[in-house]
Amino acid sequence: MNTLMSWSGEMLVARLRELVELETPVGSAAHLVVGAEVLAEWGAGVLGRVPEWVVVDGLPHLVWPAVEQRVLLLGHFDTVWPAGTLGEWPFEVAGAVATGPGVVDMKSGIVVMMAAMALVADTSRVGLLLTCDEESGSVGSRALIEREARRSGAVLVGEPANPDGALKVARKGGSAYRLTVHGRAAHAGVEPHLGVNASVEAAHQVLAVKAFADEGAQTTVTPTALTSGTTSNTVPETATLAIDVRAWSTAELARVDGLIRALSARVEGASLSLDGGFSRHPLSVESSRGLFEVARGAAAELGMVLPAGAWAPGASDANFAAAVGAPTLDGLGGVGGGSHSRGEYVDVGQLAPRARLVARMVERLTGEPFGRSSGAEAGLISTL
């Protein structure tokens, strides 16, 4: 198969369709293995080497390490959509807009990265890492991400750009907690006074943690999943509350962490226990600044509109890469929006320009000349 032809122009939409129609719901090992097999073949075709399979808790991650790894391309192939979603919400293209489960987050990013590598003359100093548990917190892949980031000169992340094409130069960090309330069960109708109601205590804690947010600093502290009790006629003995924290600075995450760890019970006889803590440190503009300038320089060379930089409130695996000291830039994947919603979409007209941009960045960062543009291949490059 002609690798360049398979990733040129009109083939990008076909590749995107193939990947979206290959459902890869997070946590489903059977689906993810099938997806990994396809991606292993694609990656071998553009990088000229087979990947290492790193299986953690039965879930497959793919890594193509380079001996002298000047650039790491980082992405994930799991989606938030359960198996069977495609039957009720199929992949469709209307004009320049494609929709479907995972189309922008981040299967279009994988297509962009693969197409970019098909354009790079020498990929021997480029690594590629595709994980399959990003949507559940990257618990199994975090160590792998950190390992590959540490040995890389730069990390380019294929998560989606903003709808206006802006690259993501900063991301909030996040913490996750589970607060457990311990009470005492009793018959709700006969002798409720003998119980210690965990639901009432949990209600106090919901209001308490919500007050830890700081609107001025854009720090959010959100009580999310709450469960309590067993039956409708029993005073609840236990309750659990999940707490989601997002902030632009590690200092803010530390402030909220201290407040959450200092929580105390309000209902007499109740007690609290806490699990969790920091999950992702912020991606700062200091980590991305140099690569953002490389991106703008590459765009200028290609005659493209210079991309803007955006601050993204959500976290990604870029946070892990930046936290170990690797220069990191995010948002180099598809241009679109609506991630995690039925309105998810990507502009397929931007797939080829994005691939050219990523390829040019890689070549600037590795010192390689741009493009496999000699002879018959020149026409294919022009379609990208």
Side-chain angles (χ1 to χ4, degrees), residues 83-103:
T85 301
L86 198 66
E88 58 194 47
W89 181 28
F91 177 85
E92 292 181 345
V93 180
V97 175
T99 59
V103 71

Side-chain angles (χ1 to χ4, degrees), residues 316-375:
S316 81
D317 287 339
N319 296 67
F320 294 138
V324 298
T328 304
L329 181 63
D330 203 350
L332 288 159
V335 178
S339 296
H340 298 196
S341 77
R342 294 283 178 146
E344 184 174 3
Y345 74 95
V346 70
D347 182 347
V348 296
Q350 292 297 316
L351 294 176
R354 281 279 149 157
R356 293 177 66 214
L357 178 63
V358 173
R360 188 66 191 106
M361 289 185 68
V362 167
E363 287 161 339
R364 284 171 65 106
L365 292 166
T366 59
E368 293 298 325
F370 178 52
R372 300 175 182 176
S373 56
S374 62

Side-chain angles (χ1 to χ4, degrees), residues 3-170:
T3 299
L4 184 59
M5 176 69 79
S6 70
W7 289 101
S8 64
E10 66 279 0
M11 292 300 296
L12 297 184
V13 177
R15 289 281 188 161
L16 180 59
R17 176 186 294 276
E18 182 179 353
L19 194 54
V20 171
E21 291 182 347
L22 192 68
E23 292 186 295
T24 49
V26 63
S28 177
H31 290 88
L32 292 167
V33 166
V34 174
E37 290 171 345
V38 171
L39 292 172
E41 181 180 353
W42 288 10
V46 296
L47 290 167
R49 57 191 190 269
V50 298
E52 298 175 7
W53 287 63
V54 180
V55 179
V56 181
D57 297 328
L59 302 178
H61 312 289
L62 300 175
V63 58
W64 290 259
V67 175
E68 182 190 347
Q69 195 155 282
R70 295 190 182 180
V71 178
L72 175 67
L73 300 180
L74 175 60
H76 67 92
F77 60 96
D78 57 311
T79 76
V80 298
W81 302 101
T85 301
L86 198 66
E88 58 194 47
W89 181 28
F91 177 85
E92 292 181 345
V93 180
V97 175
T99 59
V103 71
V104 75
D105 187 12
M106 58 158 282
K107 293 191 171 181
S108 57
I110 293 174
V111 169
V112 165
M113 292 191 295
M114 293 285 188
M117 291 304 91
L119 286 172
V120 173
D122 180 0
T123 60
S124 63
R125 285 171 285 190
V126 182
L128 174 63
L129 173 56
L130 298 177
T131 67
C132 71
D133 65 349
E134 194 273 347
E135 298 295 5
S136 58
S138 306
V139 175
S141 62
R142 178 173 180 171
L144 181 60
I145 294 165
E146 293 173 339
R147 184 194 81 185
E148 291 303 307
R150 284 191 181 97
R151 54 188 301 274
S152 302
V155 180
L156 306 180
V157 183
E159 290 280 359
N162 272 16
D164 61 359
L167 305 179
K168 294 175 179 176
V169 298

Side-chain angles (χ1 to χ4, degrees), residues 281-304:
H281 288 275
L283 166 64
S284 70
V285 291
E286 287 73 23
S287 296
S288 65
R289 181 176 288 115
L291 290 176
F292 180 57
E293 291 308 314
V294 171
R296 288 172 65 85
E301 289 180 9
L302 294 169
M304 297 178 178

